[in-house]
Amino acid sequence: NFRLFKLEDVEPVVMCAAAVVRRGEMICEIDRAEHVSSSLFKFTKAMLKTLENDDFVELLQAITKVATEVCRAEKVSMFTLDRVKDELWCAVSEDIQGLRIPVGLGLAGYVAETNEVVNIADVRKDSRFHIDVDDATGFKTRNLLCIPIMFAGECLGVFQALNRKGRDGF
């Protein structure tokens, strides 16, 4: 027994399905907003504590800890720009802290040189990617988000997030 439906018969069902999908999207947005709010609260507490102690590196560590959560990255590094030596100095990282790289070398160096945000889904396909750090640490970078830290139009450093969890990019 085949019955042909009219548009007005199906429309309420389609509208209901669309509402269910949108409700699911809204729940995901609320979860994400709660995650970001919680991370910002943790950061604010850490920042206030750090400012009391007047410790710049501790402040950067607090920032990178929150950034790791917000970006959902496997690793985050914070580089400061040494204008005298024309180098980036890795101020905070779990495995490359203290590393110095010339401005212009690799993706972080590129960002310091150009002040451009770089978001690469597959770093192995980007000629600017400098594999020596991965080789030295044994870490395998898949994707990367690199952002210049700017103040008054000048680059002060570079924030770098590596390997977004649960996705193929940032």
Side-chain angles (χ1 to χ4, degrees), residues 17-32:
V20 168
V21 168
R22 180 64 189 136
R23 184 172 185 276
E25 290 171 347
M26 290 171 64
I27 288 170
C28 288
E29 289 171 16
I30 289 169
D31 287 347
R32 177 84 174 130

Side-chain angles (χ1 to χ4, degrees), residues 3 19 43 49 52 54 59 68 80 107 126 151 157 161 167:
R3 180 173 176 223
F43 166 70
K49 179 183 170 214
E52 288 173 4
D54 204 26
L59 175 62
T68 302
T80 59
L107 289 160
D126 193 299
F151 180 75
R167 275 197 189 168

Side-chain angles (χ1 to χ4, degrees), residues 39-168:
S39 296
L40 289 174
F41 177 73
K42 289 177 193 173
F43 166 70
T44 303
K45 279 177 50 179
M47 187 177 74
L48 291 173
K49 179 183 170 214
T50 302
L51 291 175
E52 288 173 4
N53 299 335
D54 204 26
D55 186 344
F56 177 67
V57 173
E58 192 176 325
L59 175 62
L60 292 180
Q61 288 171 336
I63 292 169
T64 56
K65 184 176 180 184
V66 171
T68 302
E69 289 179 24
V70 170
C71 292
R72 295 184 176 158
E74 287 181 21
K75 291 187 178 193
V76 170
S77 301
M78 186 81 69
F79 295 87
T80 59
L81 182 57
D82 181 340
R83 291 204 179 279
V84 174
K85 295 182 179 180
D86 203 29
E87 293 179 325
L88 284 172
W89 171 68
C90 186
V92 178
S93 172
E94 69 182 57
D95 58 358
I96 60 168
Q97 190 163 338
L99 176 75
R100 289 185 167 268
I101 58 171
V103 169
L105 181 66
L107 289 160
Y110 173 82
V111 168
E113 185 174 58
T114 63
N115 300 332
E116 294 176 23
V117 173
V118 172
N119 185 354
I120 308 292
D122 184 354
V123 296
R124 308 288 169 164
K125 293 179 180 177
D126 193 299
S127 63
R128 299 168 295 183
F129 179 65
H130 189 62
I131 198 163
D132 289 359
V133 176
D134 273 14
D135 289 344
T137 63
F139 184 76
K140 185 176 182 200
T141 304
R142 295 184 313 277
N143 52 68
L144 170 143
L145 175 65
C146 224
I147 302 170
I149 302 166
M150 304 293 292
F151 180 75
E154 276 194 53
C155 181
L156 302 178
V158 174
F159 165 81
Q160 180 175 268
L162 305 176
N163 296 351
R164 170 79 187 248
K165 294 177 185 174
R167 275 197 189 168
D168 289 337

